[in-house]
Amino acid sequence: MTTHILAIDDSRTIRSLLTMALEGAGFAVTTAVDGVDGVNKFREKHADLVITDVNMPNKDGFGVIEDIRSSDTNRGVPVLVLTTESGAALKERARKAGATGWIVKPFDDESLISVIRRLTGA
């Protein structure tokens, strides 16, 4: 069974880079253009892992994490934050919201895929 990843980022370039890297590694990828779109797509398609940016229009990454974690059935879904931000306070906020990990852009394809395989068992 193919591991399904939801990538949420308002940057078309980042969505394209993630899609190319993850599909090339054998994952199925759904993308979302902002936090609201991301939460809606998560509810529609349920992903095995979510990658979300922090700074996005309509709903930020913290809101995305909180919405996903608001359901007990989603507590085991890994959520990675992929952002240009690296402040300790933001990382702590994401951790408290329920983020599984924090990766700073630009990302390295192999490292990202390695983290995803470790978290999903894929």
Side-chain angles (χ1 to χ4, degrees):
M1 188 165 132
T2 303
T3 301
H4 179 222
I5 298 171
L6 173 61
I8 310 168
D9 200 302
D10 59 329
S11 165
R12 180 183 305 192
T13 301
I14 294 297
R15 291 193 309 272
S16 294
L17 289 171
L18 285 169
T19 299
M20 284 190 301
L22 299 175
E23 286 182 347
F27 298 109
V29 179
T30 297
T31 60
V33 298
D34 62 32
V36 171
D37 187 34
V39 169
N40 288 338
K41 286 184 176 171
F42 181 81
R43 289 179 180 146
E44 292 168 6
K45 300 183 177 187
H46 188 76
D48 298 304
L49 182 139
V50 176
I51 299 172
T52 185
D53 190 9
V54 169
N55 299 313
M56 298 180 287
N58 301 319
K59 182 180 294 236
D60 65 20
F62 302 114
V64 169
I65 297 166
E66 290 165 355
D67 280 2
I68 289 171
R69 295 294 186 233
S70 68
S71 171
D72 287 342
T73 59
N74 300 329
R75 295 204 185 274
V77 176
V79 179
L80 295 174
V81 175
L82 180 64
T83 179
T84 57
E85 305 286 347
S86 60
L90 292 176
K91 290 180 184 177
E92 180 62 17
R93 183 176 172 198
R95 189 190 63 75
K96 285 183 177 177
T100 309
W102 186 280
I103 298 171
V104 177
K105 297 174 188 172
F107 63 93
D108 172 69
D109 292 4
E110 290 184 27
S111 296
L112 178 63
I113 291 165
S114 174
V115 169
I116 291 169
R117 290 193 192 287
R118 182 171 42 83
L119 291 173
T120 63

